[in-house]
Amino acid sequence: MSLKKNKIIVYQNTNFKNPQVFDSVDFNFKNSKIQCLKSVLNKNSELKENKLVKFIERTYYYVKIAINKYSNDFSNHLYSQHALFTILAMKIYTKSTYREIIDFIDVSDVIKRYLRIKKVPHFTTIQKFFKRLPSEQIREINQLILSLNDIKADIIALDGSGFTNDYADKYYAKIRQKERKSYIKNHLTIDVKTRLILYYQTSRGPKYDTQFAKPALRQIKKYKPHYIVADKAYDTEPIRKCINEELKAFDQIPLKNRAKKGQYRLKSPTIFRHKIYTKRNNIESIFSTIKRKFNGTNHSRSTQLSNKETKLKNTIYNIYRTTQIN
């Protein structure tokens, strides 16, 4: 589904520090004494009510612009896609289970009114929504976030990291010798200044980072970067050629010790700047944030859903990041 471009223009000048779209609300979190809410809040020591409120507001705002209210004109229209996606995002943000997040929302009538739902959906409703949610819609939400933020990507960094696939008990898996060896490889391309994810790609690992590099570089060509920063894993002549000839940028990639040929590889020591290369730490920090705040373990059973779960975490990270920079 395409973005609602007519709405983007209306919201581009919105000042999030003084929102005109949504009034500030506290969802009655402080007054609640229900045990389920305490357990969710205590699970993540970094979680604060004001941060969660800001995250809910921002998520609902982006989803309302990016995707249609209902997936089908002939559905029963009990719950909008805007509300279901926000609940799904809250689940990942609080590192809760489907059952826990439903108990969480049931705490406050204010949050139900905010999401425009009369009653809390069953936890399987959120599960089914996640299964049928197209990955293209997740990417459209991410593109909307980027379009509403002024990104001048002078330095762009690339890297990949693995996300574990596991939903079984560790003890059971060990004694049965059924521990999973595969994982989801999450490849990211980020803007160093804003620390927003510009492009992502997920696949079943193990995979070489070089297989992701050239498609990612062509996707970020529109940002006209000056430097491309990556580690030694990306030290190949085709990647350096793509950076220099297609992007008209300078590659800041350390040279492997065995490098003996290649025009751009042999020329790289003359243009390599260690001070710029140290900016690569930003992408390592982003991977750390995603795994620490949103969990580095995927609990989806199939590879397809695990890929989608990783993509969702990337987009939710961007939403979380905009609450910090705006």
Side-chain angles (χ1 to χ4, degrees):
M1 298 180 183
S2 60
L3 292 176
K4 300 178 181 177
K5 295 182 180 178
N6 57 329
K7 290 190 176 183
I8 294 177
I9 299 173
V10 176
Y11 289 101
Q12 273 181 335
N13 297 323
T14 301
N15 183 2
F16 283 112
K17 293 182 180 178
N18 185 21
Q20 300 172 1
V21 180
F22 299 120
D23 296 328
S24 179
V25 291
D26 63 1
F27 300 133
N28 291 346
F29 287 151
K30 294 183 179 179
N31 299 327
S32 176
K33 296 182 180 180
I34 298 179
Q35 191 63 33
C36 69
L37 175 59
K38 291 182 179 180
S39 65
V40 173
L41 291 176
N42 291 335
K43 182 179 293 185
N44 189 346
S45 59
E46 296 181 355
L47 187 61
K48 297 181 181 179
E49 291 119 319
N50 60 336
K51 289 184 179 181
L52 179 58
V53 169
K54 198 172 182 180
F55 175 80
I56 294 171
E57 289 180 345
R58 195 65 59 87
T59 303
Y60 194 82
Y61 166 79
Y62 287 133
V63 175
K64 194 173 181 181
I65 300 173
I67 64 177
N68 292 330
K69 188 174 183 179
Y70 299 105
S71 59
N72 194 307
D73 293 335
F74 301 101
S75 64
N76 55 19
H77 292 188
L78 284 178
Y79 307 106
S80 68
Q81 290 195 111
H82 309 152
L84 294 176
F85 187 94
T86 305
I87 294 171
L88 182 62
M90 288 173 61
K91 170 194 173 294
I92 293 177
Y93 186 86
T94 57
K95 292 196 286 191
S96 307
T97 64
Y98 285 103
R99 288 181 174 89
E100 286 174 340
I101 198 61
I102 292 305
D103 291 338
F104 189 14
I105 295 170
D106 201 25
V107 168
S108 175
D109 291 333
V110 178
I111 192 170
K112 285 187 284 187
R113 288 198 300 270
Y114 185 84
L115 297 177
R116 293 172 176 81
I117 54 177
K118 295 181 180 179
K119 63 178 182 178
V120 178
H122 195 263
F123 73 92
T124 57
T125 303
I126 310 301
Q127 286 179 323
K128 293 173 183 177
F129 171 75
F130 172 65
K131 286 183 178 180
R132 70 172 184 266
L133 178 66
S135 296
E136 291 76 14
Q137 284 192 353
I138 299 174
R139 194 175 293 277
E140 284 180 2
I141 295 169
N142 193 63
Q143 290 300 318
L144 172 66
I145 295 169
L146 298 175
S147 67
L148 295 180
N149 287 273
D150 186 22
I151 298 176
K152 297 176 181 178
D154 186 53
I155 304 175
I156 290 179
L158 289 77
D159 205 359
S161 183
F163 283 67
T164 308
N165 296 331
D166 200 3
Y167 55 86
D169 179 72
K170 289 288 185 183
Y171 176 76
Y172 176 84
K174 187 175 181 179
I175 62 174
R176 296 289 183 180
Q177 297 181 345
K178 291 184 178 180
E179 289 186 281
R180 288 193 173 190
K181 295 181 181 180
S182 64
Y183 56 88
I184 297 299
K185 194 67 179 289
N186 188 20
H187 304 272
L188 299 183
T189 307
I190 67 141
D191 171 34
V192 167
K193 184 178 180 180
T194 60
R195 295 176 70 181
L196 287 171
I197 299 172
L198 304 178
Y199 180 76
Y200 59 76
Q201 185 174 330
T202 63
S203 60
R204 183 175 180 177
K207 289 269 187 176
Y208 291 112
D209 292 337
T210 52
Q211 297 177 3
F212 152 81
K214 290 177 73 175
L217 290 170
R218 288 174 179 136
Q219 288 291 329
I220 61 172
K221 185 178 180 180
K222 59 185 177 183
Y223 295 105
K224 299 180 180 179
H226 196 64
Y227 296 103
I228 302 295
V229 182
D231 58 21
K232 284 186 179 182
Y234 296 86
D235 177 31
T236 66
E237 183 66 15
I239 291 176
R240 290 184 187 270
K241 185 177 180 180
C242 180
I243 294 171
N244 284 268
E245 295 184 2
E246 295 186 32
L247 274 69
K248 308 298 182 184
F250 295 100
D251 58 89
Q252 298 297 301
I253 305 172
L255 194 64
K256 292 179 181 178
N257 297 330
R258 296 177 294 175
K260 295 181 180 180
K261 59 181 181 179
Q263 176 187 353
Y264 293 106
R265 294 184 77 188
L266 297 178
K267 189 178 70 173
S268 64
T270 62
I271 62 172
F272 185 78
R273 302 291 181 268
H274 186 267
K275 186 177 180 180
I276 295 174
Y277 178 72
T278 56
K279 301 291 185 181
R280 198 186 71 83
N281 293 336
N282 285 275
I283 197 167
E284 299 289 357
S285 178
I286 289 175
F287 278 121
S288 175
T289 301
I290 294 174
K291 292 182 179 183
R292 175 170 46 86
K293 291 193 70 67
F294 310 132
N295 202 341
T297 301
N298 294 330
H299 296 290
S300 300
R301 292 178 178 248
S302 68
T303 302
Q304 180 185 2
L305 290 179
S306 194
N307 274 326
K308 189 193 297 185
E309 186 178 347
T310 307
K311 293 175 183 176
L312 186 60
K313 288 177 182 178
N314 293 336
T315 299
I316 288 174
Y317 164 80
N318 268 1
I319 297 173
Y320 163 75
R321 180 60 185 159
T322 59
T323 64
Q324 296 180 315
I325 62 178
N326 292 321

